[in-house]
C-alpha cells in the first residue's frame, strides 16, 4: 500500500516538531508495512525524515503522476493548499481519506471562545476577515466534498467534531452513510509505555501545560483564578505567552515560560499530584488524553467533548467554566488522590487508533 499524506506543516530534521499528530500516525503506518510519503505544503525543497520521503509542492505535482499512489490522506484541509491541490490532482488518486481535526470545517468566530482583550488579532477588521474566510471555506467544502464521496472516506477525531462538521458544512447526513468514521488521535509513545509515579516527592499539587497561553480556548484565566481561590495548593503553569503582562498572577502559581519535550513533560508530571487542564473548545484534546493515559489524575472542563473522550477514565473530574467560583477544587482533588494508582487505560494507544486507520485503508483498497 502506497499512500501520500498531505499536510500544511510537517516535522523538519533539527527543528521543533510540527503536527505531531500526523508524524505519530505516519511512524505507526510505516511499522505496519505501509509505504508512507508526505506532501509538506510549507516545504521549499524535498527531504527525508524518519526514513520517510517528504516532498515540496513543486516536486510532488510530478510525483503524483509517476508514483501511482493507492491513497491520498488529507489532514486539516484548507483552501490555499489542499483545496487547490485536490482540484488539480485528485484524479491521480483512486481513494482519498479526509481527517478532520478542528478549525478546517468550523465557523471559528462562532465556535471558538472570544479572544482575550489584549490580543491584537481581535481587531475589528481581523474578525470580519475571519468571518468572510469561514463563510467561503464552508461554502466551497459544502459543494466539493460530496463530489468526491464516490472515492472518499471522512474520519473525525471525535463525535463532537462530526456533529460540528454536519452543522457548519450543511452536507446532508444521509449522503454520508458508510462514508464516515470516528478515530481518535493516538498519544505519544512515552505515555503508552510509561506509568505515573504516584509515590515519591511532589513539588506541585496542580500542573497545567499549554503551548500558547494567549489563546483563550486553553483557559489560562480559569487556571489562574482557581489558583487564587485555593491558596493552600501549589500550582505550576507551563507555556509561552503574554498573559501575565496583562493579568495579575496568583501568588501560589509558578509560571515556566518555555516549551517542553515529551521527556520534560513526563518529569514534571511525576513531580505533580494532579493535572489541571481546563479548555473552552477542543476536538479531542490530545495532551489531556496523554496525561490521563499516563495515569496522573486530571481535572478538565465540563463540556461535551471532554465527557466523550474521558468516558472510560476513572482518573478524570470536570470543572464548570462558566462559574469558576462554584468549583470545589479541594473535593475533586481529594477524591482523585484516593483512587491512586489508576489502572492504565489503553483507549488512545496506537493499536486502537492508528491501527484502526490502517485497517480502514486496507478495507477501502479491497
Amino acid at each position: 500500500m502506497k499512500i501520500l499524506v498531505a499536510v500544511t506543516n510537517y516535522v523538519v530534521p533539527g527543528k521543533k516538531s510540527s503536527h505531531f499528530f500526523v508524524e505519530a500516525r505516519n511512524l505507526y503506518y510505516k511499522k505496519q508495512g505501509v509505504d508512507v510519503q508526505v506532501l509538506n505544503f510549507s516545504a521549499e525543497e524535498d527531504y527525508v525524515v524518519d526514513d520517510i520521503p517528504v516532498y515540496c509542492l513543486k516536486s510532488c505535482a510530478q510525483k503524483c503522476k509517476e508514483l501511482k499512489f493507492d491513497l491520498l490522506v488529507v489532514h486539516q484541509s484548507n483552501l490555499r493548499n489542499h483545496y487547490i491541490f485536490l482540484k488539480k490532482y485528485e484524479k491521480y488518486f483512486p481513494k482519498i481519506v479526509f481527517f478532520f481535526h478542528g478549525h478546517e470545517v468550523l465557523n471559528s468566530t462562532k465556535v471558538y471562545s472570544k479572544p482575550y482583550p489584549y490580543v491584537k488579532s481581535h481587531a475589528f477588521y481581523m474578525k470580519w476577515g475571519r468571518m468572510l474566510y469561514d463563510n467561503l471555506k464552508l461554502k466551497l467544502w459544502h459543494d466539493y466534498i460530496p463530489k468526491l464521496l464516490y472515492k472518499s472516506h471522512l474520519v473525525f477525531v471525535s463525535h463532537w467534531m462530526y456533529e460540528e462538521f454536519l452543522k457548519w458544512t450543511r452536507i446532508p447526513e444521509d449522503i454520508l452513510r458508510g462514508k464516515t468514521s470516528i478515530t481518535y488521535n493516538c498519544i505519544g509513545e512515552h505515555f503508552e509505555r510509561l506509568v505515573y509515579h504516584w509515590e515519591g516527592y511532589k513539588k506541585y499539587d496542580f500542573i497545567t501545560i499549554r503551548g500558547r497561553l494567549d489563546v483563550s480556548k486553553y483557559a489560562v484565566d480559569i487556571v489562574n483564578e482557581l489558583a487564587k481561590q485555593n491558596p493552600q495548593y501549589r500550582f505550576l503553569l507551563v507555556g509561552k505567552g503574554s498573559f501575565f503582562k496583562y493579568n495579575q498572577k496568583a501568588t501560589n502559581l509558578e509560571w515556566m515560560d518555555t516549551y517542553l519535550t515529551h521527556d520534560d513533560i513526563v518529569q514534571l508530571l511525576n513531580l505533580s499530584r494532579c493535572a489541571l487542564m481546563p479548555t473552552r473548545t477542543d476536538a479531542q484534546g490530545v495532551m489531556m488524553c496523554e496525561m490521563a493515559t499516563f495515569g496522573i489524575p486530571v481535572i478538565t472542563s465540563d463540556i461535551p467533548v471532554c465527557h466523550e473522550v474521558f468516558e472510560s477514565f476513572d482518573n478524570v473530574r470536570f470543572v464548570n467554566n462558566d462559574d469558576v467560583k462554584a468549583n470545589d477544587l479541594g473535593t475533586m482533588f481529594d477524591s482523585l488522590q484516593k483512587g491512586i494508582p489508576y489502572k492504565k487505560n489503553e483507549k488512545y494507544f496506537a493499536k486502537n487508533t492508528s491501527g484502526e486507520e490502517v485497517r480502514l485503508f486496507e478495507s477501502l483498497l479491497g
Side-chain angles (χ1 to χ4, degrees):
M1 185 195 322
K2 183 186 297 183
I3 71 172
L4 179 68
V5 179
V7 63
T8 302
N9 291 289
Y10 196 66
V11 60
V12 177
K15 295 186 179 180
K16 184 179 182 292
S17 181
S18 177
H19 284 49
F20 168 78
F21 56 88
V22 180
E23 180 187 6
R25 282 177 164 87
N26 289 348
L27 291 173
Y28 183 85
Y29 298 164
K30 187 174 177 60
K31 289 180 180 178
Q32 304 309 306
V34 179
D35 182 353
V36 183
Q37 302 179 45
V38 176
L39 165 57
N40 179 358
F41 287 111
S42 298
E44 297 181 357
E45 58 184 18
D46 298 348
Y47 61 95
V48 176
V49 62
D50 300 321
D51 202 27
I52 294 175
V54 182
Y55 307 122
C56 64
L57 177 60
K58 183 178 180 180
S59 68
C60 191
Q62 185 60 34
K63 286 180 170 56
C64 288
K65 305 172 186 178
E66 296 175 350
L67 296 180
K68 297 185 180 349
F69 290 100
D70 299 305
L71 183 71
L72 173 66
V73 176
V74 179
H75 284 281
Q76 287 189 321
S77 50
N78 61 44
L79 300 186
R80 178 184 177 187
N81 298 313
H82 303 79
Y83 180 78
I84 294 175
F85 179 81
L86 284 164
K87 294 288 279 188
K88 290 182 177 180
Y89 302 109
E90 59 86 6
K91 61 187 176 184
Y92 295 109
F93 300 92
K95 297 291 182 179
I96 302 172
V97 176
F98 288 88
F99 280 84
F100 294 101
H101 298 270
H103 64 84
E104 63 265 39
V105 286
L106 299 178
N107 188 325
S108 57
T109 57
K110 295 184 178 181
V111 174
Y112 290 120
S113 55
K114 182 179 178 181
Y116 293 129
Y118 66 86
V119 177
K120 293 181 180 179
S121 64
H122 189 47
F124 180 79
Y125 68 92
M126 291 293 289
K127 178 180 178 181
W128 278 97
R130 171 53 63 181
M131 289 175 63
L132 290 172
Y133 176 77
D134 280 347
N135 289 335
L136 176 62
K137 77 182 182 187
L138 293 171
K139 175 67 169 68
L140 290 177
W141 290 126
H142 168 83
D143 293 340
Y144 190 50
I145 289 176
K147 295 177 181 178
L148 293 178
L149 279 179
Y150 73 97
K151 64 173 181 178
S152 297
H153 192 90
L154 315 183
V155 179
F156 301 87
V157 297
S158 64
H159 291 277
W160 178 89
M161 186 70 248
Y162 173 65
E163 294 296 333
E164 292 294 305
F165 170 88
L166 295 175
K167 177 179 179 180
W168 298 113
T169 64
R170 295 181 296 107
I171 294 175
E173 188 172 13
D174 60 336
I175 71 171
L176 296 174
R177 289 196 178 95
K179 294 290 185 176
T180 68
S181 56
I182 310 298
T183 306
Y184 298 102
N185 289 299
C186 65
I187 60 173
E189 185 272 339
H190 282 65
F191 302 99
E192 280 196 23
R193 179 170 50 85
L194 302 178
V195 178
Y196 172 62
H197 294 169
W198 60 277
E199 295 180 308
Y201 172 69
K202 303 298 176 189
K203 186 176 181 180
Y204 308 103
D205 296 304
F206 295 96
I207 182 171
T208 305
I209 301 174
R210 290 302 190 188
R212 297 176 293 165
L213 304 189
D214 299 323
V215 179
S216 63
K217 76 170 187 174
Y218 295 131
V220 173
D221 55 318
I222 293 177
V223 173
N224 196 44
E225 183 59 34
L226 287 171
K228 290 178 180 179
Q229 293 176 20
N230 295 273
Q232 71 274 29
Y233 296 122
R234 301 158 296 176
F235 293 75
L236 173 65
L237 171 63
V238 184
K240 297 192 71 68
S242 303
F243 182 84
F244 292 114
K245 289 183 180 179
Y246 304 91
N247 298 274
Q248 183 180 19
K249 184 173 69 68
T251 57
N252 57 331
L253 185 149
E254 179 182 333
W255 172 38
M256 293 176 61
D257 182 17
T258 187
Y259 294 118
L260 301 175
T261 66
H262 273 170
D263 289 333
D264 295 331
I265 292 173
V266 169
Q267 182 178 2
L268 285 174
L269 290 179
N270 280 326
L271 287 174
S272 308
R273 298 186 185 281
C274 183
L276 178 61
M277 299 289 287
T279 178
R280 290 187 168 93
T281 311
D282 253 310
Q284 178 182 344
V286 176
M287 183 173 290
M288 295 187 298
C289 294
E290 289 178 331
M291 291 174 169
T293 303
F294 181 56
I296 189 172
V298 175
I299 295 177
T300 185
S301 292
D302 187 8
I303 60 177
V305 68
C306 291
H307 282 280
E308 174 189 339
V309 298
F310 293 122
E311 62 181 355
S312 61
F313 285 80
D314 296 326
N315 56 323
V316 179
R317 300 290 185 275
F318 305 93
V319 293
N320 185 336
N321 287 345
D322 300 321
D323 188 359
V324 180
K325 292 183 179 180
N327 293 297
D328 188 345
L329 197 63
T331 298
M332 293 184 197
F333 179 77
D334 291 342
S335 68
L336 284 166
Q337 295 301 304
K338 291 177 182 177
I340 293 174
Y342 289 92
K343 182 180 178 181
K344 201 166 189 66
N345 191 311
E346 299 185 0
K347 181 176 181 176
Y348 300 112
F349 278 28
K351 66 182 181 181
N352 298 321
T353 52
S354 299
E356 191 64 31
E357 294 162 13
V358 172
R359 291 186 284 275
L360 169 66
F361 299 162
E362 291 172 342
S363 69
L364 292 175
L365 297 175

